[in-house]
């Protein structure tokens, strides 16, 4: 891993506070003296972030709650099972629901988690209205479709992305923050799918995932931090996949129906929370 120069400062400049901040964030660095100047070296992959950090906190920031931050430097791991309990718990619950619904094939058990209740006959499903659902006190249905997955591939892809994004949010904003975002993104994406896709059986964590993606993406743009610095290409890949799904190509190839409204709804609300959260963090 090559190191590059990010700062050249006079010898009398006090770098101690900023170096302490880098140490707390786990950023590898060293200082040398050249031509009567202090020269700060960091890994090339972190150079831009360190320059921006110095512009904001030249004296360091001893009050910043960065203990949970992570740095995506080579060799640095974060968000272990012990450090991301809610992320792990959510995936465990999803796996249990997958088992009891027989991988999304048992209509009797899926009925417990569907957005609206339904009756089953030999040939048809009869869906209740969302108004009836709420009047009956079945409020959990507003969130529970996120736990239902249809097939191993659906479960595996969503679980991998939730582990990647969820532990970042949990590291930065705590388990309560992740829980709040998960429920909010599930609510908005499920309502969007019901409003634009109509009644039916839909499910999966995809809407929540696009919410988490939008949140991390725009929060990082406004208030750069190590936890939300996603690997290069992730945002582009997810947005391209969203466009492919919206085009109808996936359904046309016989790979199943896609809850596009849930994806778009989740992304939009996630972008909104990312802008708000990043703006508040920047002000602080």
């Amino acid at each position: 891993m090559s190191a590059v120069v990010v700062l050249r400062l006079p010898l009398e400049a006090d770098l101690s506070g900023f170096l302490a901040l880098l140490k707390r964030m786990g950023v590898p660095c060293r200082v040398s003296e050249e031509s009567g100047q202090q020269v700060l070296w960091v890994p090339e992959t972190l150079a831009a972030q360190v320059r921006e950090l110095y512009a904001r906190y030249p004296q360091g920031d001893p009050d910043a709650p960065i203990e949970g931050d992570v740095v995506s430097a080579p060799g640095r791991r974060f968000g272990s099972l012990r450090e991301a309990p809610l992320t792990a718990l959510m995936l465990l619950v999803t796996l249990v629901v997958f088992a009891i619904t027989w991988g999304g094939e048992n209509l009797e058990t899926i009925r417990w988690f569907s957005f609206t209740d339904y009756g089953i006959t030999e040939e048809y499903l009869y869906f209740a209205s969302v108004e009836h659902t709420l009047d009956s006190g079945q409020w959990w249905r507003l969130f529970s479709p996120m736990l239902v997955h249809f097939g191993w591939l659906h479960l595996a892809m969503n679980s991998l992305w939730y582990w990647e994004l969820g532990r970042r949010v949990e590291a930065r904003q705590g388990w309560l923050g992740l829980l709040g975002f998960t429920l909010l993104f599930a609510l908005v994406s499920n309502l969007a799918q019901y409003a634009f896709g109509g009644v039916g059986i839909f499910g999966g964590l995809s809407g929540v995932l696009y919410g988490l993606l939008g949140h991390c993406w725009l929060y990082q743009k406004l208030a750069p931090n190590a936890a939300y610095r996603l690997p290069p290409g992730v945002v582009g890949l997810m947005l391209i996949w969203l466009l492919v799904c919206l085009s109808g190509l996936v359904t046309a190839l016989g790979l199943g129906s896609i809850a596009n409204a849930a994806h778009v709804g989740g992304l939009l609300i996630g972008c909104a929370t990312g802008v708000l959260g990043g703006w508040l963090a920047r002000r602080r």
Side-chain angles (χ1 to χ4, degrees):
M1 179 173 58
S2 60
V4 297
V5 174
V6 291
L7 294 174
R8 292 182 180 272
L9 300 170
L11 292 177
E12 59 271 17
D14 184 7
L15 267 176
S16 59
F18 185 66
L19 292 176
L21 178 60
L22 293 181
K23 181 179 179 181
R24 290 173 60 204
M25 294 183 70
V27 177
C29 62
R30 64 182 176 87
V31 178
S32 63
E33 181 180 339
E34 297 179 10
S35 304
Q37 291 182 314
Q38 299 179 84
V39 180
L40 177 62
W41 300 75
V42 301
E44 185 176 3
T45 55
L46 301 177
Q49 288 85 355
V50 171
R51 289 192 187 97
E52 186 168 355
L53 191 65
Y54 182 77
R56 295 178 59 198
Y57 304 115
Q59 304 302 319
D61 187 21
D63 297 323
I66 63 171
E67 289 77 5
D69 280 4
V70 291
V71 176
S72 54
R76 170 92 173 180
R77 300 188 65 182
F78 69 94
S80 66
L81 191 63
R82 186 173 60 181
E83 296 170 337
L86 183 66
T87 306
L89 179 61
M90 274 294 301
L91 295 180
L92 177 61
V93 172
T94 301
L95 182 60
V96 170
V97 172
F98 186 78
I100 65 177
T101 59
W102 298 357
E105 295 184 1
N106 188 330
L107 293 177
E108 287 289 353
T109 51
I110 289 176
R111 178 179 175 182
W112 305 342
F113 303 96
S114 64
F115 189 74
T116 57
D117 195 7
Y118 56 80
I120 304 174
T121 67
E122 292 183 359
E123 297 181 356
Y124 299 102
L125 299 180
Y126 296 91
F127 289 89
S129 66
V130 69
E131 292 79 12
H132 173 77
T133 298
L134 297 178
D135 290 342
S136 302
Q138 301 176 39
W139 54 267
W140 73 85
R141 295 184 182 276
L142 298 175
F143 311 95
S144 57
M146 69 176 175
L147 302 175
V148 180
H149 288 84
F150 306 96
W152 282 105
L153 181 61
H154 190 205
L155 175 69
M157 293 300 295
N158 281 355
S159 297
L160 287 172
W161 279 113
Y162 190 83
W163 175 249
E164 176 64 30
L165 297 170
R167 59 183 175 156
R168 291 174 180 272
V169 174
E170 192 166 1
R172 176 68 184 180
Q173 297 182 261
W175 70 269
L176 275 176
L178 175 59
L179 178 61
F181 287 134
T182 297
L183 293 177
L184 173 62
F185 300 157
L187 174 64
V188 172
S189 60
N190 290 337
L191 286 173
Q193 184 60 35
Y194 181 80
F196 293 95
V199 296
I201 298 175
F202 57 86
L205 278 168
S206 301
V208 174
L209 296 179
Y210 272 101
L212 295 175
L213 177 74
H215 180 79
C216 293
W217 175 30
L218 295 188
Y219 192 112
Q220 164 72 6
K221 291 289 186 183
L222 294 173
N225 66 89
Y228 290 171
R229 187 164 55 248
L230 298 171
V234 165
V235 174
L237 176 65
M238 293 287 281
L239 293 181
I240 289 172
W241 176 247
L242 177 61
L243 293 176
V244 170
C245 293
L246 287 171
S247 72
L249 179 61
V250 175
T251 302
L253 291 175
L255 299 178
S257 299
I258 304 295
N260 290 314
H263 295 175
V264 174
L267 179 62
L268 292 178
I269 187 62
C271 288
T273 62
V275 169
L276 178 60
W279 177 73
L280 292 174
R282 192 178 186 91
R283 290 196 63 182
R284 288 197 298 268

